[in-house]
Structures are given as C-alpha cells and as structure tokens.
Amino acid sequence: MIRRRIVLATLILLTACGRNGEGGDGQAGEKLEAASIAAGLVADPAAAPLDGIWSRDTDRMCILPAGRGPARRVGVMLDYGEGQGCTAIGTMERSGAALRLTLGACRFTARFDGDSIQFPAMLPSTCNAFCTGRATMSALNVERISASVAEARALRSVNGTTLCAD
C-alpha cells in the first residue's frame, strides 16, 4: 500500500513537471496539487471545515456559521500589548480556497490551504480602522487550534467583546 502511494506520487510529480522543460506556463503547481488531491495524498482545502478557533502567537480568529446559508461569522483579534493591536468582527464567504471577508468597510480575499488561513500582504486602507498603534492585519497567518463551536463562541477581544457570539 505504501509502495503503491510512493509510485503514484512519483508519477504525479513526473507528469506535472513535463518533458524537456515543457509546462512552463505556471500551471504545473496547480496541476500537481489537483492530481495530489484526486489521489488522496493531499487534503482538499475546498472540503476542509473552517469553524472553530485559529491562532498563531497572540493572533486569534474565530469562525462560526451565520445562520442558514454559506456565510460565516468571523472575528479577528491581534494583541501585541501596549496599545498595539486589531479587533474586527464581520462575515466571510468561502469559494474553494478563497475566503472573502467583509469586516465593515474592509473587504478582501484571504487564502485557505487546508491547514492555515493567510490574509494578503496588502489590505485596503479601510482595514486600518480596526487597528491601533502600528498593528495591522496585513499578512495575518493563523492555523486551527480548535474545531469547537463552543470555544469559538467564547473567544473575546482584549476589552471583553465576544468576537463570534450569536
């Protein structure tokens, strides 16, 4: 079984790389990822659940269902101490690996790779309204620490505001 997967992974890699330098159109990585997902070697980010708490260091993010439909409630908190941080509450809609966030007037698309959520390095200037000091939500990168809906509902900002409560 293991040997079969190794052979399959090798074939996928060779196919994605092309012959004699072919396939330099920038889509080789996408083809490799799609083949790996189809073979069951890599989890499909489009099918992975998002609800729960996501974190890295002092950065936190909660995601919960927002009633019926595809929208999710989302809360984001960054706390660097001494008046440096961000707190934002809004909604999110998913389209495969793309996560469209709406935090008031701050709107952007984050990326979900199945293991982590990454905000773009450049966010609209409207996103600055949620931050104090020199803090920014740009390039936020968090990983799931809990899939518990109850824990996500309980997540609070520095000032005690619930981020994803009903």
Side-chain angles (χ1 to χ4, degrees):
M1 177 75 172
I2 293 174
R3 184 168 190 234
R4 184 181 208 178
R5 282 188 171 208
I6 292 171
V7 170
L8 181 60
T10 303
L11 289 174
I12 290 170
L13 285 170
L14 291 174
T15 302
C17 292
R19 289 179 285 181
N20 300 327
E22 294 174 3
D25 57 3
Q27 296 179 355
E30 292 174 13
K31 290 178 183 177
L32 176 60
E33 183 176 6
S36 297
I37 289 169
L41 298 172
V42 175
D44 183 0
L50 290 170
D51 295 344
I53 297 179
W54 299 75
S55 176
R56 177 166 290 157
D57 296 325
T58 59
D59 303 338
R60 303 277 185 273
M61 183 174 184
C62 56
I63 303 173
L64 288 176
R68 297 178 190 187
R72 295 283 192 252
R73 286 190 314 267
V74 62
V76 179
M77 180 188 66
L78 293 77
D79 180 20
Y80 303 121
E82 300 181 15
Q84 309 289 322
C86 303
T87 301
I89 298 171
T91 60
M92 178 182 72
E93 290 196 23
R94 178 183 190 170
S95 177
L99 307 176
R100 291 185 302 276
L101 281 88
T102 302
L103 308 169
C106 172
R107 298 167 189 257
F108 60 91
T109 301
R111 185 175 176 274
F112 176 56
D113 66 8
D115 295 318
S116 64
I117 297 172
Q118 301 97 28
F119 285 16
M122 297 292 291
L123 291 177
S125 61
T126 54
C127 299
N128 295 335
F130 298 103
C131 299
T132 58
R134 295 179 309 231
T136 178
M137 292 187 291
S138 296
L140 175 75
N141 189 341
V142 290
E143 298 170 347
R144 181 190 312 277
I145 61 168
S146 173
S148 169
V149 170
E151 287 181 21
R153 277 194 185 106
L155 186 64
R156 296 184 180 277
S157 68
V158 174
N159 67 5
T161 304
T162 55
L163 296 176
C164 282
D166 296 321

